[in-house]
Amino acid sequence: MSSPNGRISAQAEGKTLVISYEGKKALQMEELPFASTDFSFVRNVKEDYRMLTGKRLVCSNEGNEYVATLGEGVKMVLRLYNDGIAFRYDYPEAWTGSDPTVFRIPEGTRRWMQQWTDSYEGFFPLSTTYKVEPVPSFSGISKSEEGYNNRWGYPALLEPQDGLFVLLSEANIEHGQSASCLYNDKELFKVVPADLTKGTVPIVRNTPWRVAIIGSLGDVVESTLITDVSNPCKITDTNWIQPGVVSWVYWAYNHGSNDYSIIKKYVD
């Protein structure tokens, strides 16, 4: 299996899927819910669309789509684009939040990853190991039995080979689904969706797209793969949306939103 330009390829090996870039291993997924190499080519995906904001006005992408049937109506849809991969799982019934995706990030791999914090205001320091002490002030952290942080947020930037980068993220989260994060057990990093609100009934039958942008650092920065696999905006007339003047209280007064007199000044 390969992308249209041939740079990105995928090889299923038992319950492991290896993604390569120009013959160099870029990413490895393990513990797949099947032990078959039987992916079938479905179609060539080629799209052009326009954006109101973002990296460019006119975006284009091209990829090859493959499907593996995992049994009981469950399918893995894998797209190999010219600048990365995107995959998701399709289910015969409404998705309940589970996801079988597990990435292996070997020790020694250069990585820039944010320890999970509920505020999503953490840093992305360079590291080469999963053995990272938790930041005590972060909320929502999780620790392994060894005492290391084991919960991480997106995006996660990896450099598996010198000059070859992989950016892990997700896209096209639909109503009834939830965003996810990464929980690791040593070198294995599992995609774990946040718990759905109790009583919520999912109305979709697939996971969000799991995305890996692959190439040089310039390729990663310039890629529009996140929006490439996302549904277009349903608002067709956006002329009524006009930015206004705003002032933000938080940085000037930490937790100043609790002070009624300060809020009145900012509203004025």
Side-chain angles (χ1 to χ4, degrees), residues 122-139:
F123 293 99
F124 292 77
L126 170 63
S127 178
T128 58
T129 179
Y130 69 86
K131 299 177 181 178
V132 178
E133 299 290 339
V135 177
S137 61
F138 282 3
S139 59

Side-chain angles (χ1 to χ4, degrees), residues 245-249 252-253 256-268:
V245 177
V246 298
S247 184
W248 193 24
V249 66
Y253 300 94
S257 56
N258 295 329
D259 189 315
Y260 181 63
S261 62
I262 292 177
I263 289 298
K264 284 204 304 180
K265 293 178 180 179
Y266 270 78
V267 170
D268 291 341

Side-chain angles (χ1 to χ4, degrees), residues 13-28:
E13 302 172 358
K15 292 190 176 184
T16 299
L17 188 64
V18 177
I19 308 299
S20 299
Y21 180 87
E22 295 183 341
K24 299 178 181 179
K25 181 187 287 188
L27 185 64
Q28 183 168 311

Side-chain angles (χ1 to χ4, degrees), residues 37-106:
T37 58
D38 189 19
F39 275 87
S40 300
F41 174 78
V42 176
R43 62 187 178 117
N44 174 257
V45 178
K46 192 171 184 179
E47 297 174 318
D48 297 284
Y49 61 96
R50 298 173 67 87
M51 293 286 290
L52 295 177
T53 62
K55 298 178 181 180
R56 56 177 61 92
L57 175 63
V58 179
C59 302
S60 61
N61 62 80
E62 186 176 7
N64 291 329
E65 183 174 288
Y66 301 85
V67 172
T69 300
L70 314 182
E72 298 182 356
V74 181
K75 297 180 180 180
M76 180 181 185
V77 181
L78 172 65
R79 291 183 182 178
L80 302 184
Y81 285 92
N82 288 333
D83 57 349
I85 69 167
F87 63 93
R88 73 182 188 190
Y89 291 91
D90 290 351
Y91 297 93
E93 299 178 355
W95 178 52
T96 58
S98 61
D99 192 302
T101 304
V102 178
F103 301 108
R104 178 178 290 277
I105 305 178

